[in-house]
Amino acid sequence: MMTNTKNKDRIGIIGAGISGVTAAYELAKKGYTHITLMEKSDRVGGKCHSIEYKGKSYEMGTLIGLPTYKHTMDLMRDFDLMDRGPLLERGFFDNNGRKTSQIPMEQIEAFTQEFKRLPDILKRYESLQEPGFLNLPPDLCQPFSQWCAENKLSVLEQVYMHYFNTFGFGSIHNVPAAYVLKFLSYDNLLSFIEITHMITWPKGVTELIRRMADQVNDLRLTCEVLFMEQEQDGQVRVETSQDIFYFDKVIYTAALEQMGDTVSLSSEDKTLLASITYEWFRVYAYRVKGLPELSGYIPRNMYPERKGHMMAWYYRWADMGTTDLVTVYVAENEAMTDLEMRETVENKLRELGGESIRLYMMKRWKHFPHVDSNALHEGFYERVDQMQGNNNIYLAGEIMNFPTLENCIVYAKHLVERFF
């Protein structure tokens, strides 16, 4: 007979972003009482990074949630954060700053026909509704633009681009279809197309992470993991900048390609994790007057050749009085200097009617861990899944299920249910 060891098992969790705090919360609900959550920075939340300006919250990392985010909503209820946030009225603008329509009139009929066909096409990929990316069909490993061409979705391809590229996930011309369709499921895409009320967290999304982290008895900030190895008795010895810990199991939610810096991996596993790539993404907060009091997208600037140009801006709190702070979203261009990117952003803000433009702050994110089509074809996720539990170390985090709040929560819950 198996004995219940939950009250004795010591669990270490590396990384206090949404994946780490969700894992800790779910473990506690299952009866685990000895949980240590380690975070190398001086704050919890990772890319969930809310700031306060003149008494109101603004998002510099995780931007919004969708009404389809069921697991996120459940956590918000658990932590009494269901207050309605600021509305985000949205519009589309041409490159001259004039308001335009998301879908040109001459393409409306084609869009309607393509959108009608979309549910039947997506039925072929019901496995994408499960946590993770195991056993992908070959056609989802190719770049999304190629997938669209195969399925004759030329107008919908542009619509997908508007919401995928804008949030810093790279170009649909390069990123495999599996990632795009994991993020923009039919229901999620519909939420973007329709003007629905997004989840905008009046106190900031970081407040959810803080409240979840507060439930952990042993939270260690500025606690960098230096080395991990399994002892002969099966325990995992974790050497950190603060102390040396011994755990029965460890959940690793930090950047996966960096795990080889702290764990002895085989050369094959090191090569596998070295295939992970990122997009560099910038979020600027500008103090500016005179902008249209709505959030806006600039589709022309979403193409790869327009990196470094402003793709969108968010104007929060317009329904609760004017604000002079807007957040601006830019895919980083390595060929441009910081000053050149700022100048392109500020010129665009002027074209949109902005005056008295002053930079308040900027966050630069190493964003969207993923692999390319070849790595997917070669079974990247199957090979990572084989690493689960090796040396009593388990893997969660952004790359496992796509880096949205909801998908990170879903995978962390799945991991705990599967292995604990």
Side-chain angles (χ1 to χ4, degrees):
M1 177 182 289
M2 291 183 62
T3 58
N4 187 345
T5 63
K6 292 177 181 177
N7 288 328
K8 296 180 179 178
D9 280 355
R10 292 164 297 175
I11 311 297
I13 301 176
I14 298 170
I18 185 61
S19 296
V21 296
T22 299
Y25 183 59
E26 294 299 315
L27 286 167
K29 288 201 296 185
K30 289 175 75 78
Y32 288 87
T33 55
H34 301 291
I35 301 168
T36 299
L37 180 57
M38 295 162 280
E39 169 57 49
K40 71 176 181 180
S41 76
D42 61 358
R43 53 176 288 275
V44 300
K47 293 186 182 74
C48 296
H49 189 87
S50 312
I51 63 170
E52 186 172 299
Y53 173 77
K54 294 185 178 179
K56 294 184 173 69
S57 68
Y58 297 81
E59 304 297 349
M60 296 297 294
T62 297
L63 310 180
I64 56 172
L66 299 176
T68 51
Y69 284 9
K70 176 185 177 298
H71 295 86
T72 304
M73 299 280 277
D74 287 345
L75 287 172
M76 289 164 61
R77 287 188 193 92
D78 288 351
F79 289 92
D80 193 26
L81 288 170
M82 289 299 290
D83 292 349
R84 202 167 172 85
L87 289 171
L88 287 179
E89 184 183 350
R90 294 168 287 146
F92 285 79
F93 291 77
D94 65 21
N95 213 44
N96 295 314
R98 294 186 296 259
K99 196 168 182 183
T100 185
S101 58
Q102 178 178 9
I103 303 163
M105 287 300 297
E106 63 271 17
Q107 295 182 340
I108 290 293
E109 184 176 347
F111 166 79
T112 302
Q113 294 304 315
E114 290 179 14
F115 203 75
K116 283 181 180 178
R117 290 194 292 113
L118 187 60
D120 286 336
I121 295 171
L122 295 181
K123 282 179 183 176
R124 305 199 298 257
Y125 311 113
E126 291 184 353
S127 63
L128 282 181
Q129 297 175 26
E130 300 298 319
F133 291 101
L134 295 177
N135 305 310
L136 291 173
D139 58 332
L140 289 187
C141 298
Q142 65 183 324
F144 183 71
S145 59
Q146 293 179 25
W147 180 86
C148 286
E150 284 186 2
N151 289 281
K152 298 179 172 58
L153 299 174
S154 60
V155 180
L156 265 177
E157 177 185 350
Q158 300 172 53
V159 176
Y160 273 100
M161 179 190 73
H162 295 160
Y163 303 115
F164 191 82
N165 295 23
T166 297
F167 294 110
F169 300 130
S171 169
I172 61 169
H173 299 285
N174 302 318
V175 174
Y179 291 114
V180 181
L181 295 176
K182 173 71 79 167
F183 170 42
L184 292 170
S185 65
Y186 182 82
D187 289 340
N188 288 353
L189 183 66
L190 191 61
S191 291
F192 274 118
I193 293 172
E194 295 179 342
I195 304 299
T196 56
H197 186 87
M198 302 296 179
I199 305 172
T200 49
W201 304 286
K203 297 178 181 178
V205 65
T206 304
E207 184 63 20
L208 173 62
I209 317 296
R210 285 197 198 103
R211 293 192 187 187
M212 293 174 71
D214 283 346
Q215 305 299 305
V216 181
N217 288 332
D218 192 13
L219 170 64
R220 306 288 185 113
L221 298 180
T222 62
C223 182
E224 183 176 2
V225 173
L226 305 175
F227 188 71
M228 292 189 290
E229 63 180 350
Q230 189 175 30
E231 305 273 271
Q232 288 187 348
D233 61 2
Q235 292 185 103
V236 184
R237 180 180 184 274
V238 180
E239 180 182 342
T240 77
S241 57
Q242 289 189 6
D243 208 339
I244 295 175
F245 302 92
Y246 293 87
F247 300 111
D248 295 292
K249 294 180 179 180
V250 169
I251 298 176
Y252 184 93
T253 73
L256 190 57
E257 79 285 354
Q258 295 177 6
M259 194 170 77
D261 297 337
T262 55
V263 181
S264 294
L265 297 177
S266 68
S267 58
E268 292 82 3
D269 286 343
K270 286 182 179 178
T271 300
L272 178 71
L273 299 186
S275 66
I276 298 171
T277 187
Y278 284 83
E279 303 291 334
W280 285 101
F281 187 58
R282 294 183 175 216
V283 182
Y284 294 88
Y286 270 98
R287 298 177 66 181
V288 55
K289 298 177 181 178
L291 281 187
E293 294 183 4
L294 78 168
S295 301
Y297 301 95
I298 306 171
R300 184 176 172 234
N301 287 346
M302 297 173 189
Y303 291 92
E305 63 271 18
R306 298 289 291 175
K307 278 188 172 183
H309 293 259
M310 172 176 160
M311 296 185 293
W313 76 94
Y314 270 18
Y315 190 107
R316 283 167 68 95
W317 304 106
D319 57 324
M320 301 182 187
T322 57
T323 177
D324 67 341
L325 195 75
V326 298
T327 47
V328 172
Y329 309 105
V330 176
E332 186 167 302
N333 186 333
E334 294 179 0
M336 297 173 69
T337 66
D338 288 348
L339 181 59
E340 287 170 338
M341 277 186 274
R342 274 188 59 186
E343 286 176 344
T344 65
V345 168
E346 291 169 13
N347 287 338
K348 182 57 61 182
L349 290 172
R350 289 187 192 94
E351 289 174 9
L352 290 162
E355 300 174 347
S356 303
I357 299 168
R358 288 168 289 171
L359 180 63
Y360 182 68
M361 71 176 293
M362 184 271 284
K363 288 295 294 185
R364 180 177 184 256
W365 299 109
K366 190 179 179 183
H367 193 47
F368 180 38
H370 63 287
V371 296
D372 64 17
S373 293
N374 289 334
L376 286 188
H377 277 299
E378 292 169 2
F380 172 85
Y381 282 98
E382 285 71 27
R383 292 172 62 190
V384 168
D385 197 63
Q386 291 170 7
M387 296 170 65
Q388 292 284 19
N390 288 353
N391 301 316
N392 279 334
I393 298 171
Y394 298 83
L395 312 175
E398 292 182 306
I399 194 171
M400 303 302 288
N401 199 41
F402 200 83
T404 60
L405 199 70
E406 178 76 357
N407 281 309
C408 288
I409 291 168
V410 165
Y411 195 86
K413 293 177 72 171
H414 166 72
L415 183 89
V416 169
E417 192 60 36
R418 181 181 174 189
F419 295 111
F420 295 80

